Amino acid sequence: MTLAVFGLNKEYTVALVGFTGTFLGAVVAFLGIRWQVNRQEQEKQIDHATKECGKALLTLLRLFRKPEYEGGDVSDSWKNDMTDQVDILKLTIPLFPNADLRERLNATVDILADWHYAVFEGPGHDQYPESGPVIREVLQHAINCMGAVRRGARRLPKESEAFKTAKDNINEYWAYEAESRL
């Protein structure tokens, strides 16, 4: 039995097979290492996004508990602090690979943008006479969603009642505004 390949003699065939095996092994090793590096970079990016987004959400929770907020009229300092945290959320949300989480966090940002209207005379107005408790529950829901994704849950938690209320009331407010302009 001969090992001749493409008309080569036995010695060349053995060398060619050895070289091919070495080359394929190097390619597989390179691709495996590259895959691991990419995965580690993605994990680092997700960890950073989770840390920054979590800090921003917790800071917003504290802002909506401050006494200066309670009256409904807020100081410029309070508004600036809120804007800074919302900007951090806007920058970190795209870093999450989970599309459902990005969508839920973007909805949270939308609610925060119109937080004054979270208790518009719509559903849940009796349960939430002011926007502070609603916004705090919305923020807590966003934190719960991030935690679920980090734990590896396949699905996000169902939208909380306060989250739905805020979203619906804000949509209802803007529909009312559009009608009143006609």
Side-chain angles (χ1 to χ4, degrees):
M1 174 169 146
T2 66
L3 291 174
V5 176
F6 302 114
L8 298 175
N9 66 19
K10 183 178 174 182
E11 289 81 27
Y12 290 121
T13 303
V14 170
L16 182 62
V17 169
F19 174 73
T20 304
T22 303
F23 179 73
L24 289 175
V27 168
V28 168
F30 172 77
L31 293 176
I33 290 170
R34 188 69 212 147
W35 178 79
Q36 283 181 330
V37 167
N38 286 342
R39 187 168 170 224
Q40 287 173 347
E41 287 174 359
Q42 185 180 28
E43 278 296 315
K44 195 182 296 184
Q45 182 179 7
I46 293 169
D47 288 345
H48 172 73
T50 302
K51 180 180 174 186
E52 292 301 315
C53 199
K55 274 196 229 176
L57 290 169
L58 290 173
T59 301
L60 286 164
L61 267 173
R62 283 191 292 276
L63 278 174
F64 277 94
R65 287 189 182 121
K66 280 190 171 182
E68 61 190 69
Y69 160 74
E70 297 303 323
D73 294 325
V74 292
S75 66
D76 288 338
S77 166
W78 189 94
K79 288 178 186 175
N80 290 338
D81 289 346
M82 183 177 164
T83 301
D84 290 345
Q85 300 311 312
V86 170
D87 288 345
I88 290 171
L89 288 176
K90 288 178 182 176
L91 289 172
T92 57
I93 289 170
L95 300 177
F96 290 104
N98 185 310
D100 292 335
L101 178 61
R102 286 193 312 267
E103 182 181 325
R104 194 73 57 90
L105 291 174
N106 279 322
T108 301
V109 168
D110 292 343
I111 290 168
L112 289 169
D114 292 326
W115 67 272
H116 289 289
Y117 312 122
V119 292
F120 180 67
E121 298 290 330
H125 181 72
D126 297 334
Q127 185 179 2
Y128 301 106
E130 66 163 26
S131 60
V134 176
I135 297 300
R136 287 193 295 269
E137 286 189 40
V138 165
L139 293 167
Q140 187 59 54
H141 177 70
I143 291 168
N144 294 343
C145 289
M146 279 182 24
V149 168
R150 292 303 289 159
R151 285 189 309 274
R154 292 179 184 232
R155 296 179 191 207
L156 294 179
K158 288 177 25 178
E159 289 183 355
S160 68
E161 208 51 47
F163 191 89
K164 289 179 196 173
T165 298
K167 213 165 54 167
D168 293 344
N169 288 349
I170 289 169
N171 290 338
E172 189 176 321
Y173 172 80
W174 287 113
Y176 172 78
E177 278 292 310
E179 280 181 23
S180 67
R181 290 183 184 164
L182 295 177

